[in-house]
């Protein structure tokens, strides 16, 4: 029988929060599922429970594993945890004052699912492995698509191709399509040659490793005994199976999430896992955090009216802790585009219709002009997708309205760390430039060594496979004959040889400038290249340039004293609904809420429609004080249908 509670009298650690939060914090052993609605304090509960395990139950820090779905979320959670420790240590009567410091609990592990699975694989393998990230994956798939389908892919085709590969690898069922089979073979060969794992490989290999090696599994089960999982609604089946293996029979799983905020179905997330969690672990302690401390009551009601239309969800209520300051204020207003003012006090939710997209965006511009800098910094325009964002950004630029785009990942961690990283980048770039000039010289003499070719052929990424090259040295003609005539690979090799010859014919400065365009100049590398251009100006020929490059050090390329940090603008933040997850703003604008955009035309099945509705719910619940819902009504000649998701709010749609 699994015990859910420790039964101890809690004296040492001060338990804070409302009754449901305290109940979750005090949970000790066995499975516990916390259904945490928007603004209900789930991060607070997770941090407090970690401290409760450490200070009250005396759990060793090294036995606690906190899992999130992004590196940024893991770092944020760790930062909140360390801040809370400092608060406790400075209090008048700190618990366990002899050992309460951030350094005391550094062995608590904060990480992502992928980082943990990768660490298990790396600890069990002598082979160095890297991860094929999303950006590199799309470039690889684009190259392979062009190679086998002889045209450039659309963005949606890349998404479909990625999903098809993932499904084929997970199920082992490969479609009976010759071109796809050859594409998949080249995809796998590229990963193998470059010691890369995609996410399907990482999780799949880790599961196989743990299942066939009981001793290894036992060692990891002994290492981690208490699991805290944030955003559990985003988990997929393989991740869940991995956690089940690691948790073992003890099942000390503390999972926190909200089925109504499950928005990553396209990545494999399965909302049924959070809904059915008590079926996997009978006796699960289920706790509901249903008090929303973020949004005013009308915004909370608005979100509930929308999401309650979904069938696949847990029944729950939402209570707003924040009521309107004026009980007689109008909470929901519907108006046309003539309403020009910034949402006034007392108006929490506003519905507006517009004849055209341009009129809608111009109205937003007029609103932003009337805002103070502080108001602009505390509001956001949240759109369905990046493609939808482009029209809005064009109007903002035309109207000279400053804006910010949501940047991924956490902010920088200090000037010294950044300079150290950039110094390393300077060294890597210098090494690559030297290699290019070594190969260009070899080509001018008629042959290229295979090891030198390998150093440059996929920098930038040309997706050339090492397995094509079996000999130690090649002439140009031999290189080009290795790949099928007219193929993308042959074209890439031909362009590489052309670039190498061009570098040899130009003057020193022009040769380096040409190479910079071949390799590509990132924002952080501009100063490095500029320094190189200055240094090369005093040399008259390529042989002298080669000698200079050999003698040059990374420190000479990167002057840390001239590095400036830059700053953020006070522009309006524009971001997608997926990117808005986990954020909150005083005022939120949701434009283009129309059929065909939201839900999109590709959302046909009930599961897809309900996922889109959950996405709308996430966007609504980002608002603290004011929410502006906007849609196009069109005109007599070109009528536009409002999103079906607005029907519960009183907006009539037409068939």
């Amino acid at each position: 029988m699994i015990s859910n509670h420790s039964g101890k009298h809690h004296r040492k650690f001060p338990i804070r929060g409302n009754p449901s939060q305290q109940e979750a914090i005090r949970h000790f052993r066995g499975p516990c599922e916390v259904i945490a609605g928007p603004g209900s304090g789930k991060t607070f509960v997770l941090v407090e429970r970690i401290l409760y395990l450490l200070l009250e139950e005396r759990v060793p820090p090294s036995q606690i594993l906190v899992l999130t779905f992004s590196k940024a979320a893991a770092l944020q959670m760790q930062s909140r945890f360390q801040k809370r420790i400092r608060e406790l240590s400075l209090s008048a009567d700190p618990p366990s004052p002899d050992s309460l410091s951030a350094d005391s609990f550094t062995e608590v592990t904060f990480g992502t699912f992928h980082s943990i699975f990768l660490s298990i694989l790396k600890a069990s393998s002598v082979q160095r492995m890297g991860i094929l990230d999303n950006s590199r994956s799309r470039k690889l798939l684009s190259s392979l698509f062009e190679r086998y389908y002889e045209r450039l892919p659309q963005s949606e085709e890349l998404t479909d191709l990625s999903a098809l590969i993932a499904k084929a690898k997970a199920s082992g069922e490969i479609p009976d399509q010759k071109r796809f089979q050859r594409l998949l073979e080249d995809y796998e060969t590229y990963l193998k040659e470059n010691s890369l794992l995609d996410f399907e490989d990482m999780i799949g290999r880790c599961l196989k490793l743990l299942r066939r090696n009981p001793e290894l599994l036992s060692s990891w089960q002994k290492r981690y005994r208490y699991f805290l999982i944030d955003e559990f609604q985003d988990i997929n089946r393989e991740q869940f199976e991995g956690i089940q293996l690691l948790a073992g029979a003890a099942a000390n799983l503390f999972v926190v999430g909200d089925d109504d905020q499950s928005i990553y179905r396209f990545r494999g997330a399965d909302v049924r896992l959070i809904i059915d969690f008590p079926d996997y672990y009978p006796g699960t302690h289920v706790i509901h955090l249903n008090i929303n401390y973020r949004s005013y009551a009308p915004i909370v009601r608005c979100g509930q009216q929308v999401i309650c239309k979904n069938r696949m969800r847990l029944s729950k209520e939402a209570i707003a802790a924040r009521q309107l300051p004026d009980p007689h204020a109008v909470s929901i207003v519907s108006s046309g585009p003539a309403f020009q003012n910034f949402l006034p006090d007392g108006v929490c939710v506003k519905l507006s219709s517009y004849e055209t997209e341009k009129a809608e965006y111009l109205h937003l511009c007029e609103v932003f002009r009337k805002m103070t800098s502080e108001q602009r910094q505390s509001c956001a325009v949240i759109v369905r997708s990046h493609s939808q964002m482009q029209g809005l950004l064009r109007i903002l630029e035309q109207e000279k309205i400053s804006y910010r785009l949501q940047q991924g990942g956490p902010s920088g961690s200090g000037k010294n760390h950044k300079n150290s990283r950039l110094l390393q980048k300077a060294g890597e770039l210098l090494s690559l430039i030297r290699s290019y000039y070594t190969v260009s010289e070899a080509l001018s003499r008629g042959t290229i060594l295979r090891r030198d070719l390998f150093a440059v052929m996929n920098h930038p990424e040309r997706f050339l496979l090492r397995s094509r090259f079996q000999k130690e040295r090649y002439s140009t003609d031999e290189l080009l004959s290795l790949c099928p005539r007219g193929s993308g690979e042959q074209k890439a090799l031909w362009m590489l040889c052309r670039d190498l010859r061009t570098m040899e014919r130009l003057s020193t400065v022009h040769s380096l400038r040409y190479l910079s365009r071949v390799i590509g100049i990132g924002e952080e590398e501009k100063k490095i290249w500029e320094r190189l251009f200055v240094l090369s100006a005093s040399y008259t020929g390529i042989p002298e340039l080669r000698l200079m490059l050999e003698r040059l050090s990374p420190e000479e390329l990167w002057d840390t004293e001239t590095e400036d940090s830059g700053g953020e603008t006070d522009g309006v933040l524009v971001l997608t609904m997926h990117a808005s997850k986990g954020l909150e703003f005083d005022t939120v604008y949701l434009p283009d809420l129309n059929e065909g955009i939201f839900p999109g035309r590709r959302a046909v099945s009930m599961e897809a429609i309900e996922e889109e509705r959950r996405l709308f719910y996430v966007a609504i619940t980002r608002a603290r004080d004011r929410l502006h819902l906007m849609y196009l009504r069109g005109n007599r000649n070109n009528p536009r249908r409002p999103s079906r998701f607005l029907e519960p709010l009183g907006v009539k749609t037409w068939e």
Side-chain angles (χ1 to χ4, degrees), residues 487-542:
S487 67
E489 283 179 290
Q490 189 184 60
K491 181 180 178 181
L493 271 174
W494 181 86
M495 292 179 69
L496 173 60
C497 292
R498 180 203 64 186
D499 292 336
L500 292 168
R501 290 196 182 97
T502 301
M503 287 165 52
E504 289 292 309
R505 292 198 298 265
L506 298 173
S507 67
T508 55
V509 176
H510 286 94
S511 179
L512 276 172
R513 288 190 182 279
Y514 185 86
L515 179 58
S516 72
R517 290 193 292 270
V518 171
I519 296 176
I521 302 179
E523 190 64 32
E524 292 180 333
E525 298 162 349
K526 285 182 179 179
K527 290 184 178 181
I528 302 174
W529 281 105
E530 289 169 1
R531 176 74 170 154
L532 270 174
F533 298 152
V534 171
L535 291 173
S536 65
S538 59
Y539 295 87
T540 58
I542 300 300

Side-chain angles (χ1 to χ4, degrees), residues 273-312:
L273 291 173
I274 188 172
I275 293 174
D276 297 336
F277 184 80
D279 295 335
Y280 289 96
Y281 291 99
T284 292
H285 185 194
V286 179
I287 303 168
H288 286 263
L289 303 184
N290 57 5
I291 300 178
N292 185 319
Y293 295 95
R294 175 188 301 158
S295 307
Y296 274 134
I299 298 174
V300 174
R301 286 198 300 271
C302 176
Q304 288 300 300
Q305 286 174 294
V306 168
I307 198 61
C308 72
K309 297 298 181 181
N310 271 7
R311 297 178 183 177
M312 188 179 293

Side-chain angles (χ1 to χ4, degrees), residues 38 233-234 258-266 269-272 274-275 303 306-307 310-313 316 577-578 581 598 606-622 645:
Q233 74 277 353
D234 294 332
D258 180 9
D259 55 300
D260 288 336
Q261 297 185 70
S262 178
I263 58 174
Y264 291 107
R265 177 173 168 266
F266 66 95
D270 190 341
V271 69
R272 290 171 295 185
I274 188 172
I275 293 174
V306 168
I307 198 61
N310 271 7
R311 297 178 183 177
M312 188 179 293
R313 64 185 296 263
K316 61 180 79 72
M577 292 182 176
H578 281 101
K581 184 73 172 67
F598 196 53
M606 185 194 77
E607 291 83 0
I609 294 296
E610 294 206 346
E611 173 100 345
E612 292 278 286
R613 188 178 282 111
R614 289 194 293 268
L615 191 57
F616 186 34
Y617 176 72
V618 165
I620 287 172
T621 55
R622 300 310 94 195
F645 301 151

Side-chain angles (χ1 to χ4, degrees), residues 391-443:
L392 171 62
L393 297 184
R394 281 194 295 271
I395 296 295
L396 291 176
E397 289 169 0
Q398 290 172 13
E399 297 298 311
K400 295 181 172 51
I401 302 293
S402 62
Y403 63 85
R404 295 172 290 139
L405 299 179
Q406 174 69 12
Q407 301 297 318
S411 58
S413 55
K415 185 175 178 179
N416 291 333
H417 172 74
K418 183 176 182 181
N419 284 331
S420 175
R421 176 172 54 81
L422 290 174
L423 188 62
Q424 180 182 354
K425 184 181 285 290
E428 294 170 352
L429 180 59
L430 181 58
S431 177
L432 178 59
I433 293 171
R434 288 169 180 162
S435 296
Y436 258 97
Y437 278 101
T438 297
V439 177
S440 68
E441 181 184 27
L443 184 63

Side-chain angles (χ1 to χ4, degrees), residues 18-24 32-37 40 45 255-260 274-275 278 285-292 313-319:
N18 64 42
S20 295
Q21 290 173 334
Q22 291 186 26
E23 181 183 359
C32 177
E33 182 178 54
V34 180
I35 305 300
S40 61
V45 166
V255 302
V256 181
D258 180 9
D259 55 300
D260 288 336
I274 188 172
I275 293 174
H285 185 194
V286 179
I287 303 168
H288 286 263
L289 303 184
N290 57 5
I291 300 178
N292 185 319
R313 64 185 296 263
L314 295 168
S315 177
K316 61 180 79 72
E317 65 173 338
I319 302 170

